[in-house]
Amino acid sequence: MTPEQRANFVANVTDAEQRRSAEKLWQAAHVAEVALTQACVSRGIAAVRPGEDRTEEDREAEINAAVAADPDLKALHAAAEQALQPWLTCTEYGEPLESYDGEIIRCVLTGFLVHENDKYLIDLGTHECVLKSALGVPLGFILGDFLSDDAPPIAIGDDALSVAQAVAQDRVNV
């Protein structure tokens, strides 16, 4: 894709600047959380061991006790909490989607994070994601190999109307 094509798709996303700001806040929170997690793992804190029957609450209690006792962990925990607070103010986006292997999902057309509250299309063959706002596609339609997250009944099935056909037949309000 050329830079001009990408710029055209980004221009369709009306909240592009807010998305960029939200991503910076999420990234800061994520980096701080990973630092705390790695420090805990390196100390063997709250590790899941085979055959062990501990609840999530038990592991959380172990982490809290370790943080209270270790100044380095206490500092990492405080930094993670401080970085998390601004991200929590971005409630309109929700957490970024992750693939089955834990990779963060981005829109292939714009590069923006795809959040759990977004409307998006997923290519069932490649598992690539596209923000609907980047395309200007009406919400709720299947388009080619892309499956919508909330397709209406007229768009479900092998003979689903394309967006262009649906608009031409006046079945969609755009």
Side-chain angles (χ1 to χ4, degrees):
M1 174 182 322
T2 67
E4 293 81 20
Q5 289 171 318
R6 182 172 299 273
N8 286 333
F9 289 121
V10 169
N12 288 335
V13 180
T14 58
D15 63 342
E17 283 308 312
Q18 293 90 334
R19 286 181 169 282
R20 287 182 185 106
S21 297
E23 181 173 348
K24 288 176 186 175
L25 296 174
W26 173 80
Q27 189 68 19
H30 181 70
V31 166
E33 180 186 1
V34 167
L36 175 61
T37 301
Q38 287 176 338
C40 288
V41 168
S42 70
R43 290 168 171 82
I45 299 167
V48 177
R49 295 170 188 91
E52 190 174 58
D53 190 26
R54 291 193 309 164
T55 65
E56 187 64 33
E57 291 80 21
D58 293 339
R59 282 191 284 282
E60 190 173 317
E62 183 182 344
I63 291 170
N64 290 337
V67 166
D70 185 330
D72 292 335
L73 288 179
K74 189 179 285 188
L76 288 171
H77 183 268
E81 286 295 315
Q82 185 177 5
L84 180 62
Q85 293 312 309
W87 164 240
L88 292 178
T89 64
C90 294
T91 57
E92 67 271 20
Y93 293 109
E95 290 296 315
L97 295 181
E98 292 184 22
S99 64
Y100 292 114
D101 60 358
E103 292 293 317
I104 298 300
I105 297 174
R106 292 183 175 277
C107 173
V108 295
L109 299 177
T110 63
F112 292 134
L113 293 177
V114 177
H115 299 273
E116 62 188 14
N117 296 341
D118 286 330
K119 300 295 183 192
Y120 53 88
L121 303 170
I122 298 176
D123 183 313
L124 298 176
T126 64
H127 302 285
E128 292 177 322
C129 229
V130 173
L131 290 169
K132 286 184 180 181
S133 60
L135 294 173
V137 173
L139 300 180
F141 277 86
I142 296 173
L143 180 61
D145 290 336
F146 286 94
L147 175 62
S148 157
D149 52 338
D150 60 351
I154 66 165
I156 295 175
D158 293 335
D159 59 346
L161 295 172
S162 73
V163 172
Q165 289 170 320
V167 170
Q169 294 177 9
D170 214 13
R171 293 188 182 203
V172 175
N173 296 326
V174 277

